Amino acid sequence: MPKIDESRPFLSVNIAVMTVSDTRTPADDRSGDALAERLTGAGHRLGARAIVKDDVAAIRAQVQAWIADPEIDVVLTTGGTGVTGRDVTPEAVEALFDKPIPGFGELFRQLSYAKVGTSTIQSRATGGVANGTYIFALPGSPSACRDAWDDILVFQFDNRHRPCNLVELMPRLREHQV
């Protein structure tokens, strides 16, 4: 059964948070706030934060800047993962992936199904690795962000999580670039 190995020291990672929205501002960015509060509450560092319009080029440019920054280990986006015409976050980030992590979206939708039922099919939550940086695109609702963090990401970004976690793989993510 999965567990936290308390005999290992916790390793903090640097996480950037991007809210994708045409309407949000720092004053009303509840989803970005939820992620920032949770990741810092878990002992990680908020490495950067931004609000970007629902535009493929703008989203991609910000993510590319963060994955080029050696101080950013993880990029979390919130918003733009639905199916409407303005929802373009998966198209923006998946084009950057060196390796997709399909299990993230699958698990997120499985967990979400228990809470929102069949409405979970409207989520195109996705994850992958680009230039040695983890990228996870989450839906724009605060509750979806809390669910993704509390039920998946908090464990995978805790190096003490057993049997395995994403943190312990970080030193090996750029092996193909050597």
Side-chain angles (χ1 to χ4, degrees):
M1 192 63 158
K3 65 181 176 112
I4 299 295
D5 181 352
E6 297 289 347
S7 70
R8 297 174 58 125
F10 177 79
L11 300 175
S12 180
V13 298
N14 293 323
I15 303 175
V17 174
M18 176 197 301
T19 299
V20 177
S21 174
D22 290 334
T23 60
R24 294 284 176 251
T25 67
D28 65 1
D29 180 14
R30 293 182 18 236
S31 296
D33 289 344
L35 289 171
E37 289 166 8
R38 279 177 157 61
L39 71 91
T40 57
H44 300 294
R45 292 177 297 278
L46 180 62
R49 189 159 170 193
I51 298 176
V52 176
K53 298 287 185 199
D54 290 281
D55 175 78
V56 170
I59 296 165
R60 196 171 290 159
Q62 182 60 73
V63 173
Q64 284 176 312
W66 284 339
I67 65 175
D69 183 342
E71 295 300 313
I72 301 295
D73 302 309
V74 178
V75 174
L76 301 180
T77 73
T78 173
T81 62
V83 297
T84 71
R86 297 293 296 157
D87 293 322
V88 295
T89 304
E91 289 79 6
V93 301
E94 287 175 347
L96 302 173
F97 291 171
D98 298 320
K99 294 190 183 240
I101 305 174
F104 171 75
E106 295 162 359
L107 180 57
F108 175 80
R109 283 180 286 279
Q110 176 189 356
L111 295 168
S112 181
Y113 179 76
K115 297 178 182 186
V116 300
T118 59
S119 295
T120 194
I121 69 167
Q122 296 177 33
S123 169
R124 297 184 303 139
T126 188
V129 179
N131 193 36
T133 303
Y134 291 113
I135 302 169
F136 292 95
L138 314 176
S141 77
S143 62
C145 289
R146 288 189 295 268
D147 292 345
W149 182 265
D150 295 349
D151 296 340
I152 305 170
L153 298 175
V154 71
F155 301 109
Q156 285 301 297
F157 293 131
D158 189 330
N159 64 294
R160 304 168 303 166
H161 184 261
R162 295 283 161 253
C164 56
N165 60 77
L166 294 174
V167 176
E168 62 193 1
L169 299 177
M170 286 176 163
R172 298 181 53 208
L173 293 179
R174 289 188 176 96
E175 287 176 332
H176 73 286
Q177 296 172 347
V178 178

